[in-house]
Amino acid sequence: MRMAALSKESGVPVPTIKFYLREGLLAPGMRTSPNQSQYDETHVQRLGLIRGLTEIGGLSLAVVAEILRAIDDPEIVVHEVFDVVQRTVTRQITAQHTGVEPHYELVDEVMEQRGWQHPQNAEHRLAAATLISIMDRLRLSHTVQTLDAYAAAAATIAEADLATLSATLPRDRLVETAAAASILGDALVGTFRRMAQTALVAEQTGGSRRDALPIAE
Amino acid sequence: MRMAALSKESGVPVPTIKFYLREGLLAPGMRTSPNQSQYDETHVQRLGLIRGLTEIGGLSLAVVAEILRAIDDPEIVVHEVFDVVQRTVTRQITAQHTGVEPHYELVDEVMEQRGWQHPQNAEHRLAAATLISIMDRLRLSHTVQTLDAYAAAAATIAEADLATLSATLPRDRLVETAAAASILGDALVGTFRRMAQTALVAEQTGGSRRDALPIAE
């Protein structure tokens, strides 16, 4: 397909596609004349991935470029793509909160309970400890019980993730999909979480939602 | 404290604080002279919340302003703040993907299994169905089993959330905290999820992470 068709198919405006081509985020099309190229389904897929990471994940283009370089590296294995994704998410969390002292204590307790103390989890540990510290400042304090409920849920999700990923896809699709799964999966879990909250509150109040939470005065 | 101290305490630059004051995102300080005001801990807290929602949550200032209006509305109850947060997150997901046909089928199956079919979940349903459709396009297909694993995990998280929120806080802190919990909690669950993935892969490979996933060729 030509660029106009690629734009229509992907929902990405032509000037943006040209920008991605210039920046190397999108592979060049097959040149059919001095100023015309043909694009195919792989280009549509790649544009979809970029949209997912930026629009849903809120990642910057610089970060997306880094993830795409990892995806396009034939040497990299799928969990290393996960690592790159997580590192970039971590950087987004921690780089803007350099003044925040991470609270490692609860995170370390949870990691020990779960057996998650792997060296590769160092950056994840920093991100979690920073988030807990930020929430603490907003007077949203966690107990180890709450955090372990989060962690248990996260373990369930991770198992489902790996089963889905490993079951179906060839390697070159797998790394791309792993990145999308990581970012879009977070949004999906968050959406289900709020669905469950709404349902819980509705149950507690028999359908009426006013004053459903017991509020300490 | 004066504005310079507020800036130092919150990590938000003075021009940004002035902008928030002009836009009504931050309440005015107590005026002590024609061109000087005093700020207190509530201002530090509010700036922390704005930072959390924009920097961690990736929400736009327009969306944050809407959430803050809900928080400052004395009539609103805490689950309605959750609703406002979720509506804005949903809007971020769906507004930029108007060409995407939502895939309701699996979502409806999960919602029925979980007993989540409440009218207040209509927008959450749209967001989930849009995300699934976006992932489908990226050839990341879900089965009802995978989605139900996500949903079960989300239910666990939601229960922990509500227990934490309702246990400790007076009403006016509760709504503010509920908004922070919603956005920052997603980031924390996502971080734990990647920790768990890393640990699972490490277990499967006895510490070595290369070729840990069985890959269909």
Side-chain angles (χ1 to χ4, degrees), chain B residues 130-183:
Chain B
T130 301
L131 285 167
I132 287 168
S133 177
I134 293 169
M135 288 196 255
D136 250 11
R137 285 182 167 210
L138 295 169
R139 298 204 198 118
L140 179 62
S141 295
H142 289 87
T143 61
V144 71
Q145 285 76 20
T146 320
L147 286 184
D148 201 58
Y150 276 44
T156 304
I157 295 163
E159 278 169 32
D161 286 337
L162 293 196
T164 303
L165 283 177
S166 60
T168 51
L169 291 162
R171 188 269 170 206
D172 61 333
R173 294 282 327 150
L174 194 55
V175 287
E176 195 163 305
T177 304
S182 196
I183 294 297

Side-chain angles (χ1 to χ4, degrees), chain A residues 88-109:
Chain A
T88 57
V89 173
T90 299
R91 200 174 310 145
Q92 194 151 307
I93 291 170
T94 54
Q96 295 181 303
H97 287 86
T98 46
V100 175
E101 187 75 34
H103 288 193
Y104 285 117
E105 200 183 321
L106 289 175
V107 175
D108 285 344
E109 221 171 307

Side-chain angles (χ1 to χ4, degrees), chain A residues 44-59 64 67 71 81-82 85-86 88-89 157 161 164-165 173-194, chain B residues 86 89-90 92-94 96-97 100 107 124 126-142 146-147 150-151 154 186-187 189-191 193-194 197:
Chain A
V44 177
Q45 286 282 321
R46 176 54 61 101
L47 289 172
L49 181 61
I50 296 172
R51 287 190 71 187
L53 297 177
T54 54
E55 295 174 7
I56 311 284
L59 301 181
V64 170
I67 292 173
I71 288 174
V81 176
F82 268 129
V85 172
Q86 176 62 5
T88 57
V89 173
I157 295 164
D161 286 338
T164 303
L165 283 176
R173 294 285 324 151
L174 195 56
V175 286
E176 194 162 307
T177 304
S182 194
I183 294 298
L184 295 167
D186 280 0
L188 185 58
V189 172
T191 304
F192 278 156
R193 175 180 170 227
R194 280 178 276 271
Chain B
Q86 176 61 4
V89 174
T90 298
Q92 195 150 307
I93 292 170
T94 54
Q96 296 181 301
H97 287 87
V100 176
V107 175
H124 309 202
L126 172 62
T130 301
L131 285 167
I132 287 168
S133 177
I134 293 169
M135 288 196 255
D136 250 11
R137 285 182 167 210
L138 295 169
R139 298 204 198 118
L140 179 62
S141 295
H142 289 87
T146 320
L147 286 184
Y150 276 44
D186 280 1
V189 171
T191 304
R193 175 180 171 228
R194 280 177 276 269
Q197 287 166 342

Side-chain angles (χ1 to χ4, degrees), chain A residues 51-155:
Chain A
R51 287 190 71 187
L53 297 177
T54 54
E55 295 174 7
I56 311 284
L59 301 181
S60 72
L61 269 187
V63 162
V64 170
E66 186 174 344
I67 292 173
L68 295 179
R69 272 197 300 277
I71 288 174
D72 293 336
D73 178 350
E75 290 296 306
I76 208 167
V77 294
V78 61
H79 354 104
E80 290 168 338
V81 176
F82 268 129
D83 281 355
V84 170
V85 172
Q86 176 62 5
R87 262 204 306 281
T88 57
V89 173
T90 299
R91 200 174 310 145
Q92 194 151 307
I93 291 170
T94 54
Q96 295 181 303
H97 287 86
T98 46
V100 175
E101 187 75 34
H103 288 193
Y104 285 117
E105 200 183 321
L106 289 175
V107 175
D108 285 344
E109 221 171 307
V110 169
M111 288 179 76
E112 195 183 337
Q113 278 185 31
R114 294 271 144 207
W116 287 350
Q117 299 140 306
H118 296 276
Q120 301 95 329
N121 269 334
E123 284 182 285
H124 310 203
R125 173 175 174 263
L126 172 62
T130 301
L131 285 167
I132 286 168
S133 177
I134 294 170
M135 288 195 257
D136 250 11
R137 286 182 167 207
L138 296 169
R139 297 203 198 119
L140 178 61
S141 295
H142 290 87
T143 61
V144 71
Q145 286 76 21
T146 320
L147 286 185
D148 200 59
Y150 275 45

Side-chain angles (χ1 to χ4, degrees), chain A residues 27-43:
Chain A
M30 172 103 73
R31 198 169 286 273
T32 51
S33 82
N35 48 28
Q36 213 156 69
S37 293
Q38 283 288 325
Y39 301 91
D40 61 24
E41 190 52 32
T42 64
H43 294 90

Side-chain angles (χ1 to χ4, degrees), chain B residues 37-52:
Chain B
S37 292
Q38 282 290 322
Y39 301 91
D40 61 23
E41 190 50 35
T42 64
H43 294 90
V44 178
Q45 286 283 319
R46 175 55 60 101
L47 289 172
L49 181 61
I50 295 172
R51 286 190 71 186

